[in-house]
Amino acid sequence: MTGRQAKHPGSAPRLAGPACARVEVTHDIGLHARPSVVFTRLAKSFPCTIGVEVNSDGVWLNGKSIVKIMGARIRKGFVLAIRAEGIGAEDAVKALCALVERNFDEEKSHARSA
Protein backbone atom coordinates (compact mmCIF):
# COMPACT_ATOMS: atom_id res chain seq x y z
CA MET A 1 0.00 0.00 0.00
CA THR A 2 1.13 3.54 -0.65
CA GLY A 3 -0.15 5.34 2.44
CA ARG A 4 -3.77 5.14 1.39
CA GLN A 5 -6.33 3.39 3.51
CA ALA A 6 -7.92 0.26 2.18
CA LYS A 7 -11.45 0.85 0.93
CA HIS A 8 -13.60 -1.37 3.07
CA PRO A 9 -17.18 -0.37 3.82
CA GLY A 10 -17.35 1.41 7.14
CA SER A 11 -13.59 1.47 7.69
CA ALA A 12 -12.87 5.06 6.67
CA PRO A 13 -13.43 7.89 9.14
CA ARG A 14 -16.80 9.46 8.50
CA LEU A 15 -16.69 13.07 7.41
CA ALA A 16 -20.07 14.35 8.44
CA GLY A 17 -22.17 16.05 5.84
CA PRO A 18 -24.45 18.95 6.54
CA ALA A 19 -26.61 18.80 9.65
CA CYS A 20 -29.44 21.22 10.34
CA ALA A 21 -32.03 21.78 13.03
CA ARG A 22 -34.46 24.49 14.11
CA VAL A 23 -34.86 25.80 17.63
CA GLU A 24 -36.96 28.59 19.14
CA VAL A 25 -35.34 31.17 21.38
CA THR A 26 -37.14 31.17 24.73
CA HIS A 27 -34.72 33.36 26.67
CA ASP A 28 -36.64 36.44 27.87
CA ILE A 29 -34.15 38.92 26.46
CA GLY A 30 -32.91 36.88 23.50
CA LEU A 31 -29.30 36.81 22.39
CA HIS A 32 -27.94 39.89 24.14
CA ALA A 33 -24.19 40.15 24.72
CA ARG A 34 -23.64 37.32 27.22
CA PRO A 35 -25.67 34.63 25.43
CA SER A 36 -24.14 35.65 22.11
CA VAL A 37 -20.65 35.15 23.54
CA VAL A 38 -21.62 31.77 25.00
CA PHE A 39 -23.17 30.69 21.68
CA THR A 40 -20.22 31.74 19.50
CA ARG A 41 -17.67 30.34 21.96
CA LEU A 42 -19.39 26.94 21.79
CA ALA A 43 -19.66 27.19 17.99
CA LYS A 44 -15.92 27.91 17.74
CA SER A 45 -15.14 24.76 19.72
CA PHE A 46 -16.20 22.65 16.71
CA PRO A 47 -14.00 22.29 13.60
CA CYS A 48 -16.95 22.42 11.19
CA THR A 49 -18.51 25.49 9.61
CA ILE A 50 -21.64 26.74 11.35
CA GLY A 51 -24.36 28.94 9.94
CA VAL A 52 -27.42 30.47 11.58
CA GLU A 53 -30.57 31.60 9.80
CA VAL A 54 -33.05 33.75 11.73
CA ASN A 55 -36.80 33.33 11.14
CA SER A 56 -36.29 31.69 7.72
CA ASP A 57 -35.13 34.99 6.20
CA GLY A 58 -32.79 33.23 3.74
CA VAL A 59 -29.68 34.95 5.12
CA TRP A 60 -27.14 32.63 6.72
CA LEU A 61 -24.89 34.20 9.34
CA ASN A 62 -21.50 32.89 10.45
CA GLY A 63 -22.38 31.18 13.74
CA LYS A 64 -18.83 31.70 15.00
CA SER A 65 -18.96 35.49 14.58
CA ILE A 66 -19.96 37.47 17.66
CA VAL A 67 -20.51 40.54 15.46
CA LYS A 68 -22.93 38.69 13.14
CA ILE A 69 -24.85 36.96 15.95
CA MET A 70 -25.24 40.10 18.07
CA GLY A 71 -26.02 42.18 14.98
CA ALA A 72 -28.96 39.92 14.13
CA ARG A 73 -30.81 41.19 17.24
CA ILE A 74 -32.27 37.78 17.98
CA ARG A 75 -35.21 38.06 20.39
CA LYS A 76 -37.49 35.73 22.31
CA GLY A 77 -39.75 33.81 19.94
CA PHE A 78 -37.36 33.95 16.99
CA VAL A 79 -36.67 30.60 15.34
CA LEU A 80 -33.08 29.78 14.52
CA ALA A 81 -32.03 27.30 11.88
CA ILE A 82 -28.58 26.05 12.82
CA ARG A 83 -26.60 24.39 10.03
CA ALA A 84 -23.17 22.81 10.29
CA GLU A 85 -21.00 21.11 7.72
CA GLY A 86 -17.81 19.12 8.16
CA ILE A 87 -16.30 17.07 10.93
CA GLY A 88 -18.47 17.11 14.04
CA ALA A 89 -21.40 18.78 12.29
CA GLU A 90 -24.11 16.70 13.96
CA ASP A 91 -22.56 17.16 17.40
CA ALA A 92 -22.26 20.91 16.84
CA VAL A 93 -25.92 21.30 15.86
CA LYS A 94 -27.07 19.19 18.81
CA ALA A 95 -24.90 21.12 21.27
CA LEU A 96 -25.96 24.55 19.99
CA CYS A 97 -29.65 23.63 19.98
CA ALA A 98 -29.33 22.29 23.52
CA LEU A 99 -27.64 25.53 24.59
CA VAL A 100 -30.52 27.60 23.17
CA GLU A 101 -33.05 25.30 24.83
CA ARG A 102 -31.23 25.74 28.17
CA ASN A 103 -31.48 29.54 27.79
CA PHE A 104 -27.71 29.78 27.34
CA ASP A 105 -27.20 28.57 30.92
CA GLU A 106 -28.04 32.09 32.11
CA GLU A 107 -29.98 30.95 35.17
CA LYS A 108 -26.98 28.99 36.44
CA SER A 109 -24.52 31.85 36.03
CA HIS A 110 -26.75 34.33 37.87
CA ALA A 111 -27.79 32.07 40.74
CA ARG A 112 -25.99 33.70 43.62
CA SER A 113 -26.75 33.52 47.28
CA ALA A 114 -27.27 36.71 49.26
Side-chain angles (χ1 to χ4, degrees), residues 38-56:
V38 172
F39 184 93
T40 55
R41 187 174 292 151
L42 179 59
K44 288 177 185 177
S45 73
F46 292 94
C48 54
T49 60
I50 298 174
V52 177
E53 180 189 40
V54 182
N55 290 335
S56 301

Side-chain angles (χ1 to χ4, degrees), residues 21 24 26 71-72 77 96 104:
E24 182 175 344
T26 58
L96 290 166
F104 309 95

